[in-house]
Amino acid sequence: MFGLSAAVRVYLAKEPADMRKSFDGLSALVTGALELDPLSGHLFVFINKRRDRIKILYWDRDGLAVWAKRLERGTYRLPDAAAGRVEMTTAELAALLAGIDLNTARRRHRYTRPVTPLQNSEKFAPTNDHTST
């Protein structure tokens, strides 16, 4: 579909969108409903009420672009979320477009860098012990 870098984020709007909207209408939804910047370079995914159509709005270096898909049969299954938007990975977007139900899919455990609290923070606090004369 796209050649996406790891820095690109994907935001899925939970509320159904009117698929008659195009560049300006979808970018207004991004700024209004999602409270994000449509020119950020991220992907903004919108699905209609029947969940058989999808549009993706993104900034393509020199202008907005819209990618659209209509299913001939079946529907998209949206991931569960309480918020008005869902942040997804590009792999999850590819799975959604391929018809995989993200609610029942399991992610295998992978390495994540541990977050270590700053220990002995007083060591790093600035002091006035070293005054020059």
Side-chain angles (χ1 to χ4, degrees), residues 24-113:
D24 296 329
L26 293 175
S27 68
L29 285 177
V30 171
T31 56
L34 301 181
E35 299 176 348
L36 295 167
D37 179 18
L39 307 181
S40 64
H42 302 305
L43 301 179
F44 304 98
V45 182
F46 301 94
I47 296 181
N48 68 338
K49 188 182 252 186
R50 291 187 304 186
R51 299 187 335 255
D52 65 345
R53 295 171 192 229
I54 193 168
K55 282 191 176 182
I56 301 173
L57 177 74
Y58 59 99
W59 179 256
D60 186 26
R61 288 179 278 175
D62 57 356
L64 288 171
V66 175
W67 184 88
K69 183 175 182 178
R70 179 189 72 198
L71 295 177
E72 293 300 319
R73 186 183 327 176
T75 59
Y76 292 106
R77 173 74 188 234
L78 302 181
D80 293 333
R85 70 178 187 230
V86 177
E87 187 172 348
M88 309 170 67
T89 65
T90 54
E92 290 170 333
L93 175 61
L96 176 73
L97 293 173
I100 296 171
D101 183 357
L102 296 175
N103 295 321
T104 59
R106 290 185 333 162
R107 181 176 295 275
R108 306 257 325 171
H109 180 70
R110 298 283 189 242
Y111 173 80
T112 56
R113 188 173 180 185

